Amino acid sequence: QEQLVESGGGSVHAGGSLRLSCAGSAYTFSGHSMAWFRQAPGKEREGVAGIRGDDYTKYADSVKGRFTISRDNSKNILYLQMNSLEPEDTATYYCAAAHAPIYGPSLLLHSSYSYWGQGTQVSVSA
């Protein structure tokens, strides 16, 4: 059973920055697809950013130019750098992993992923 552990959430004012981290096993980071999702109260979980083993990345339109996903396979850590945060970014953020390459829009699709972390809360005030 893969275990993913997120950290780095917190409360910031609009315009601020946070960096989320997701630690996993060496197997999880062995070149497969990973992503960040978020879920706000009363809303469905949505894909924010995804990264394949070949370092191809994909972002939701709402975060393009503000968020950056990256991975450090030597440390088995996935990152999400979030800049210019807005109140609409308030949500619980989850990292996810799949033991297969994922192509196209499916990289941000919830059903593409088998392994999930417990989530970390991000709150952005106006």
Side-chain angles (χ1 to χ4, degrees):
Q1 182 71 25
E2 295 298 323
Q3 185 174 8
L4 300 172
V5 180
E6 303 96 336
S7 61
S11 298
V12 297
H13 291 294
S17 298
L18 285 172
R19 188 176 77 160
L20 305 183
S21 299
C22 172
S25 68
Y27 179 58
T28 302
F29 282 79
S30 58
H32 297 301
S33 301
M34 301 191 72
W36 288 97
F37 288 76
R38 67 186 181 188
Q39 188 167 19
K43 294 188 177 181
E44 293 186 355
R45 191 170 297 191
E46 64 169 342
V48 174
I51 184 168
R52 268 198 327 245
D54 59 1
D55 287 334
Y56 169 84
T57 57
K58 186 173 181 63
Y59 296 91
D61 288 343
S62 59
V63 306
K64 279 181 182 177
R66 300 189 298 122
F67 290 11
T68 302
I69 188 172
S70 61
R71 62 199 295 170
D72 186 335
N73 291 333
S74 67
K75 297 180 179 179
N76 301 331
I77 299 178
L78 178 73
Y79 298 104
L80 184 67
Q81 178 66 45
M82 305 186 296
N83 298 327
S84 301
L85 282 162
E86 304 169 352
E88 292 74 20
D89 296 317
T90 295
T92 301
Y93 283 71
Y94 301 88
C95 69
H99 286 168
I102 301 171
Y103 297 95
S106 295
L107 194 57
L108 296 183
L109 193 62
H110 177 275
S111 59
S112 298
Y113 295 88
S114 301
Y115 305 101
W116 295 84
Q118 294 301 306
T120 185
Q121 180 65 39
V122 171
S123 297
V124 184
S125 58

